[in-house]
């Protein structure tokens, strides 16, 4: 009897074991299939995003087509379209109609930027609509003299910067840039390229600030495609986390991590002095006053010699333009009176209009941005005094009665304190 039960029990166990193996196989087969499906979907989404964001070949084709037709010209056109010595490298674009690439041109490494028309979306299976492009190369028109073009540039600068006594010298500087082939005259295609560039505030402000070494130098242009020097180190401090991790990292931890990825203190002091000098130069500068409306570390970088560079001039706005904008802005509370990220005025509740006067000057915002950066690792002999001066700086108000004098005093004291500490080091 026992002999008859043993085979039956063994068969049941064997059947159960085989069924379990089959279940495990199906389970793993399903998981493998699911992994492949999800992976394929992620790759498709990434590829779709890349092809929409990174359209450098379209940009080059559009620019070179207009160059060959004689519509535009510039210092970079021959290298881009004829000799092919100007190369587009790695894609850095975050907006489809604003192409950004690393690039090389002969011995120069740089950043190439180019505007493209609006991306038109369409459903799978439909014929794509023609890309809508803005005709940016229609001015100046044929027959425009150089004198008339100078007048156009002058009036454009006046509308952007307000009444400035030395706009004529700025016009001459821009015309020297316009003559891309250095033949001593400005052609109509060159003028069209320059006019298109001047419509972009970031290019205009870059030209204004590059002589003082605050922005990367313009290396060349063709139409509204242009190349600037590459700033080797950026952002100013911290680590740029991949986007999936940004929302998961608490802001306090992010600030702590940021302070780990910084140069030595003497080098940080030199970089900080560069930011203070930028603030000094745009406060009642050569071409008027400017406001920095976003002091995010990502908008700044520094060179191998630890010299600060403003890499996103879109964060800077002429004060005249800021005041015009705020003057017509309606409000209920002070929270409605914001320009950019952090340029604020107060609300006149009785008039329901924003006031023109900025609440906080550039220097106060710069000191706030530098506080954690420069205090970490500061020498003990001057840390207390440095902290005191930074807090006095952060307390500056835009409408203080003696703001100009107080601004200059605090700025000079901070620069002197930092310079005294690093003047004897090789980093100075």
């Amino acid at each position: 009897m026992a002999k008859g039960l043993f085979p039956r029990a063994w068969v049941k166990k064997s059947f159960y074991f085989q069924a379990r193996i089959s279940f495990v196989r199906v389970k793993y087969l399903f998981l493998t299939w699911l992994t492949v499906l999800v992976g394929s979907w992620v790759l498709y989404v990434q590829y779709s995003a890349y092809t929409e964001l990174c359209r450098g070949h379209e940009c080059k084709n559009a620019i070179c087509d207009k160059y060959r037709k004689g519509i535009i010209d510039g210092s970079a056109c021959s290298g881009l379209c004829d000799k092919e010595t100007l190369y587009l490298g790695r894609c850095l674009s975050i907006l489809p109609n604003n192409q950004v690439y690393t690039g090389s041109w002969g011995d120069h490494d740089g950043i190439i930027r180019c505007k493209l028309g609006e991306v038109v979306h369409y459903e799978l299976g439909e014929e794509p609509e023609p890309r809508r492009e803005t005709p940016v190369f229609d001015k100046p028109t044929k027959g425009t003299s150089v004198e008339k073009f100078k007048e156009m540039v002058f009036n454009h600068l006046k509308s952007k910067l307000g009444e400035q006594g030395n706009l004529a010298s700025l016009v001459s500087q821009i015309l020297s840039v316009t003559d891309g082939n250095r033949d001593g005259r400005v052609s109509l295609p060159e003028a069209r390229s320059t006019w298109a560039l001047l419509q972009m505030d970031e290019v205009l402000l870059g030209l204004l600030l590059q002589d003082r070494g605050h922005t990367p130098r313009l290396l060349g242009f063709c139409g509204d495609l242009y190349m600037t020097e590459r700033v080797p180190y950026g952002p100013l401090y911290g680590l740029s986390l991949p986007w999936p991790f940004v929302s998961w990292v608490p802001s306090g931890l992010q600030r702590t991590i940021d302070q780990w990825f910084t140069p030595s203190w003497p080098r940080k002091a030199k970089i900080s002095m560069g930011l203070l000098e930028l603030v000094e130069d745009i406060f009642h500068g050569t071409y008027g006053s400017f406001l920095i409306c976003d002091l995010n570390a990502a908008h700044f970088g520094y060179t191998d010699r630890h010299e600060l560079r403003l890499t996103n001039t879109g964060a800077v706005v002429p004060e005249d333009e800021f005041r015009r904008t705020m003057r017509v802005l309606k409000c209920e509370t002070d929270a409605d009176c914001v320009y950019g990220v952090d340029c604020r005025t107060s609300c006149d509740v009785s008039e329901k209009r924003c006031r023109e006067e900025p609440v906080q000057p550039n220097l106060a915002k710069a000191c706030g941005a530098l506080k954690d950066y420069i205090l970490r690792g500061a020498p003990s002999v001057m840390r207390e005094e440095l902290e005191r001066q930074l807090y006095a700086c952060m307390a500056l108000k835009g409408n203080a009665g003696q703001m100009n004098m107080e601004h200059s005093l605090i700025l000079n004291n901070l620069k002197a304190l930092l310079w005294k500490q690093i003047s004897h080091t090789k980093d100075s």
Side-chain angles (χ1 to χ4, degrees):
M1 194 72 178
K3 287 182 180 179
L5 286 171
F6 178 75
R8 196 178 302 164
W10 185 84
V11 168
K12 283 176 74 177
K13 278 188 175 182
S14 177
F15 175 78
Y16 173 76
F17 183 68
Q18 288 178 357
R20 185 167 179 79
I21 289 176
S22 299
F23 172 75
V24 170
R25 282 179 179 169
V26 169
K27 182 181 175 182
Y28 278 105
L29 185 65
F30 171 75
L31 288 174
T32 304
W33 173 82
L34 186 64
T35 303
V36 171
L37 181 67
V38 171
S40 301
W41 179 79
V42 169
L43 286 173
Y44 171 75
V45 169
Q46 291 289 330
Y47 177 74
S48 299
Y50 180 85
T51 53
E52 184 172 309
L53 283 176
C54 302
R55 298 151 55 212
H57 62 288
E58 292 181 33
C59 195
K60 179 181 176 181
N61 291 342
I63 288 291
C64 290
D65 180 60
K66 291 178 175 65
Y67 164 65
R68 292 183 181 114
K69 289 177 179 176
I71 298 171
I72 57 172
D73 200 356
S75 54
C77 288
S78 177
L80 179 71
C81 306
D82 294 336
K83 300 175 183 176
E84 297 193 349
T85 53
L86 194 158
Y87 301 100
L88 275 68
R90 185 163 56 92
C91 175
L92 306 174
S93 308
I94 57 173
L95 293 172
N97 59 350
N98 188 15
Q99 295 295 291
V100 184
Y101 280 77
T102 61
S104 61
W105 186 18
D107 296 331
H108 298 290
D109 288 328
I111 299 295
I112 298 170
R113 291 180 170 84
C114 175
K115 299 287 185 183
L116 270 180
E118 181 185 351
V119 178
V120 180
H121 297 278
Y122 59 92
E123 296 298 325
L124 200 63
E126 291 182 2
E127 285 295 317
E129 301 173 33
R131 195 178 302 282
R132 294 191 284 272
E133 292 194 30
T134 308
V136 293
F137 304 120
D138 56 349
K139 289 182 181 178
T141 55
K142 192 172 183 179
T144 302
S145 66
V146 174
E147 288 304 315
K148 179 63 178 174
F149 179 60
K150 281 184 181 179
E151 186 182 332
M152 286 173 62
V153 173
F154 182 89
N155 289 334
H156 177 69
L157 296 176
K158 185 178 175 182
S159 71
K160 291 290 183 182
L161 306 174
E163 291 280 359
Q164 304 295 332
N166 48 7
L167 285 184
S169 65
L170 181 56
V171 172
S172 299
Q173 179 188 334
I174 289 171
L175 257 68
S176 70
V177 172
T178 304
D179 181 17
N181 57 7
R182 298 287 182 264
D183 63 353
R185 64 186 187 88
V186 174
S187 67
L188 181 61
E190 287 173 334
R192 284 178 177 148
S193 290
T194 300
W195 185 253
L197 288 177
L198 291 178
Q199 306 315 301
M200 295 185 279
D201 290 346
E202 65 269 23
V203 177
L204 174 56
L205 290 167
L207 287 170
L208 294 179
L209 297 172
Q210 73 174 14
D211 284 347
R212 300 286 294 172
H214 298 307
T215 56
R217 218 162 32 91
L218 179 68
L219 298 176
F221 64 93
C222 184
D224 58 357
L225 177 148
Y226 64 99
M227 181 174 177
T228 56
E229 284 179 318
R230 189 176 73 86
V231 178
Y233 301 101
L236 180 60
Y237 56 81
L239 185 67
S240 298
L241 294 173
W243 68 265
F245 299 105
V246 172
S247 58
W248 291 93
V249 179
S251 57
L253 179 59
Q254 176 68 57
R255 284 195 297 271
T256 303
I257 293 172
D258 284 347
Q259 298 307 321
W260 294 344
F261 294 91
T262 56
S264 64
W265 191 87
R267 290 171 175 175
K268 286 197 293 185
K270 184 175 181 181
I271 294 165
S272 299
M273 284 186 67
L275 181 56
L276 295 175
E277 286 167 359
L278 168 64
V279 169
E280 184 176 27
D281 285 343
I282 65 176
F283 180 68
H284 298 320
T286 310
Y287 302 109
S289 294
F290 298 84
L291 298 174
I292 305 176
C293 290
D294 188 357
L295 268 159
N296 191 303
H299 301 325
F300 298 88
Y302 55 93
T303 68
D304 291 319
R305 298 178 61 188
H306 301 91
E307 296 166 339
L308 180 107
R309 293 288 184 272
L310 173 63
T311 53
N312 179 15
T313 50
V316 178
V317 59
E319 188 173 344
D320 195 65
E321 182 181 324
F322 169 79
R323 288 177 180 272
R324 286 198 306 268
T325 303
M326 302 313 288
R327 196 181 301 149
V328 298
L329 199 61
K330 295 180 180 180
C331 65
E332 296 290 337
T333 66
D334 289 352
D336 299 322
C337 301
V338 182
Y339 186 106
V341 174
D342 57 11
C343 281
R344 302 172 184 274
T345 68
S346 56
C347 179
D348 186 338
V349 180
S350 61
E351 297 286 334
K352 293 191 181 297
R353 296 275 183 185
C354 293
R355 295 186 175 92
E356 298 178 26
E357 194 71 37
V359 171
Q360 199 178 29
N362 290 325
L363 183 58
K365 292 187 287 187
C367 288
L370 288 175
K371 180 173 73 70
D372 291 340
Y373 178 72
I374 195 65
L375 283 177
R376 182 181 173 86
S380 56
V381 293
M382 51 91 71
R383 182 187 167 84
E384 187 177 335
E385 175 62 16
L386 177 60
E387 188 171 13
R388 187 189 68 77
Q389 289 197 25
L390 284 170
Y391 276 104
C393 172
M394 289 160 60
L396 278 172
K397 298 295 181 185
N399 56 359
Q402 296 296 320
M403 207 273 279
N404 285 9
M405 187 179 297
E406 193 177 0
H407 184 285
S408 299
L409 184 63
I410 288 175
L411 181 62
N412 290 334
N413 285 345
L414 265 172
K415 286 172 61 180
L417 182 64
L418 292 174
W419 177 249
K420 181 181 178 182
Q421 197 63 36
I422 66 168
S423 59
H424 61 281
T425 69
K426 64 179 181 180
D427 297 303
S428 62

